[in-house]
């Protein structure tokens, strides 16, 4: 009677063949297909430092009013909750990387998150070749940040 071990070995070998080392290059070179600079050379920008950002007392965050454009030549850090209120629009260019700060030590209400309020708009059309990436601030973008590093930020919320 034949065992299923050879089939399992073949399946494991096939799964491993997808990890060729190019994943690391892909992370450091996000957006290259659409003309974006390497991630390491992008200018760092904190979302709460943008000119149209207004802190809102009691929310551990604030709002981005009007139209905000996030471009792939910068590396954005979301350090607090960021709300896109009714009438405001957030445009995110393909190839853009947005990292979120880990505020979990201060409690769940301090989690960094992007919240699109009812009537607010997010326009984010990434592609396979030129994705838009949301990740944790601790992610070095070199393939070493494990998938089990969850709960480091609040996520993207559409209301």
């Amino acid at each position: 009677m034949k065992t299923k071990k050879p089939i399992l070995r073949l399946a494991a070998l096939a799964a491993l063949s997808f990890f060729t080392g190019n994943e690391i290059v892909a992370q450091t070179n996000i957006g290259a297909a659409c003309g974006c600079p390497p991630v390491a050379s992008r200018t760092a920008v904190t979302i709460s430092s943008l000119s149209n950002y207004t802190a809102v007392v009691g929310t551990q965050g604030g709002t981005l009013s009007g139209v905000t454009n996030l471009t792939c030549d910068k590396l954005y850090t979301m350090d607090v909750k960021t709300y896109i209120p009714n009438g405001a629009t957030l445009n995110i260019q393909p190839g853009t990387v947005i990292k979120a700060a880990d505020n979990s030590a201060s409690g769940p209400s301090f989690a960094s998150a992007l919240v699109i309020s009812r009537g607010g708009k997010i326009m984010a059309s990434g592609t396979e070749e030129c994705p838009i990436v949301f990740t944790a601030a601790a992610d070095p973008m070199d393939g070493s940040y494990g998938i089990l590093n969850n709960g480091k930020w609040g996520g993207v919320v559409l209301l």
Side-chain angles (χ1 to χ4, degrees):
M1 176 181 230
K2 290 186 177 182
T3 66
K4 293 185 180 183
K5 287 183 183 178
I7 294 172
L8 292 174
R9 286 185 192 143
L10 180 60
L13 181 60
L16 289 175
S17 69
F18 288 111
F19 300 100
T20 61
N22 291 334
E23 292 78 18
I24 293 172
V25 173
Q27 286 188 339
T28 59
N29 210 14
I30 290 171
C34 54
C36 302
V39 174
S41 68
R42 297 180 189 187
T43 304
V45 175
T46 303
I47 300 275
S48 65
S49 72
L50 296 174
S51 62
N52 60 334
Y53 178 88
T54 304
V56 177
V57 177
T59 66
Q60 286 80 34
T63 62
L64 284 173
S65 59
V67 176
T68 303
N69 297 306
L70 302 185
T71 57
C72 72
D73 61 330
K74 296 180 178 55
L75 179 62
Y76 295 93
T77 300
M78 191 168 30
D79 55 333
V80 292
K81 280 188 192 69
T82 303
Y83 295 88
I84 308 302
N86 182 19
T89 301
L90 176 63
N91 296 311
I92 306 175
Q93 183 181 48
T96 301
V97 175
I98 302 164
K99 293 185 169 191
D102 179 2
N103 300 331
S104 61
S106 298
S109 64
F110 289 86
S112 298
L114 176 62
V115 181
I116 312 301
S117 300
R118 186 174 185 177
K121 296 179 183 174
I122 182 171
M123 308 302 281
S125 298
T127 66
E128 183 178 352
E129 297 80 26
C130 206
I132 295 167
V133 175
F134 285 86
T135 189
D139 185 351
M141 304 295 293
D142 63 3
S144 65
Y145 196 71
I147 195 164
L148 295 179
N149 284 313
N150 53 21
K152 304 297 181 188
W153 63 288
V156 178
V157 181
L158 303 173
L159 301 176

